[in-house]
Amino acid sequence: MVDINRRDAVKHLGGMAGGFAAVMAGGDSFWEEFGKPEPAEYAQSAARRGLPPVKITDVKVIRTQVGRSQFLNVKVLTDEPGLYGVGDGNHLERVSIVAANIEKFLKPMVVGRNVDEIEDIWQTAFTSTYWRSAVDANNAMAAIDGALWDIMGKRAGMPVYNLLGGRVRAGTRMFTGASTRSLEDLEDSIREGMERGYQHFRFRGVRDPNSPVTEMNSEAAAAAAAALDRGVDLPRFSKTTDAYFIHSLERAFEHIRNTIGWEIELGSDVHNNVTPAGGLILAKALEPYRPWFLEDLFTVDDWGWYERVRETSAVGLAHGETFTHRLEWLPLVENHLIDYVRAHISAIGGLNMARKLAMLCEFFNVRTSWHGPSNVSPIGHAINMHLDLACYNFGIGEGGNFNDQLRELYPGLPEIRNGVRYPANDLPGLGVDIDEEVAAKYPPQDPGGNRGARSIDGEPRRP
Ligand code: MG
């Protein structure tokens, strides 16, 4: 329909001096004569004709909850009716604070701004809090930033990955998890994953069901909870010792190498469940099984231990899901202390910062593996994918298997086939939307949550 209008317009131009003049002058009478095209196409045309810039008119926060997953997304609306962008600012633990940050501070800052000024808007938002890189502020910025990239893609008439330099791969290889109820279960689970095309598997240790330690730990945890009078609210007891944690993981790796072999990649998220010394032992213990990555061997607070582990083991190291500031990743990247950067894109300030981090990593041969579990909203997954398609130093992707509810809520989501994630379309922008009518069926249930952890004795520990 748009093409017909355009053809008709060209055909009539010779005899329509007034219309032609109106187009050249940037007036709207031409479009009134021939019908206005789709919002993105009109915006592209307006940009070419030197019309005033498209302005941000509103930022709409859309919060949903599907099952246990809460999402915060925005729509950035513009003065071009129908032209908007969608973004992701999902900080599950403090989602209501992110919403308030956008509503009370960022929205008033950006309304009236030129939608093309992504870098300027990002930089001014970054310093608007004076103190840098609060994770809630970063997520709020990320939501608007992602929407601006979406709008820019729509105006340019190309997918966001083209704005980032163009596709260097057809799709992005993903890793998947595996069940660890027993060694047999783990093996079956990995074989089933291989049938679906996956080659990278991340799993935790397999505990011995007959181990007296498991029961001892449960009893100790219950005793600690009772003694401390904290009832059942204790989040996430870690019920293990270094030795048992290392042994459980080692026997899982050993079993898979002995039964399935060496043609797949194995990794694990240690999630700081061992002491720093335990981390050194674990890396050495697993090295014979060639892990492609061990994630979060230490907390971000303990990054100096990565220097030590590099001296004693050559396992692949992944770190970064709790990054919020450049000073956390700079020493790890520039000193070659990690192999995969695992930043959660919205937590570091969104696509605009993530593309810079990816470029930094390229120069040090560190690969990207953006954090991508279910606490990244589906729009966030689309952002991960666009960057991954364009980054030379992409390593491996995480997550992105969406159920029917999410596919209804977010039309245009990427698809995974044979363990590889592909865009579902080549639409301009992010290629994904949020259906507000469907969103209304999934209202958020709570303001966020707590994520702290405790040791076996009930003491707080760093997750
Ligand atoms: Mg992790």
Side-chain angles (χ1 to χ4, degrees), residues 175 202 204 268-271 293 295-296 318 320-322 342 371-373 398 451:
F175 72 75
R202 191 188 67 171
R204 295 191 174 188
S268 186
D269 187 352
V270 180
H271 239 299
F293 80 32
E295 179 179 351
D296 290 357
E321 71 188 55
T322 62
R342 290 278 290 149
H371 194 228
E398 177 185 13
R451 188 68 187 278

Side-chain angles (χ1 to χ4, degrees), residues 101-167:
N101 191 317
I102 294 170
E103 296 281 5
K104 291 185 194 304
F105 296 102
L106 291 187
K107 181 165 134 181
M109 268 186 67
V110 302
V111 166
R113 295 292 310 267
N114 177 348
V115 295
D116 289 335
E117 295 176 353
I118 295 176
E119 177 72 12
D120 190 87
I121 289 171
W122 194 95
Q123 296 291 353
T124 48
F126 183 62
T127 50
S128 68
T129 54
Y130 186 60
W131 281 274
R132 300 349 175 224
S133 294
V135 65
D136 314 312
N138 281 357
N139 271 278
M141 289 166 57
I144 291 170
D145 175 73
L148 293 180
W149 283 95
D150 189 26
I151 291 169
M152 182 170 276
K154 288 172 174 169
R155 276 162 58 70
M158 58 180 68
V160 168
Y161 56 72
N162 276 351
L163 302 180
L164 299 170
R167 232 159 143 165

Side-chain angles (χ1 to χ4, degrees), residues 280 283-284 287 304-315 317 336-337:
L280 300 184
K284 279 202 284 191
E287 191 178 31
W305 284 93
Y306 282 108
E307 289 180 343
R308 302 289 172 269
V309 76
R310 278 296 205 217
E311 292 163 5
T312 55
S313 165
V315 297
L317 295 171
H336 301 99
L337 297 179

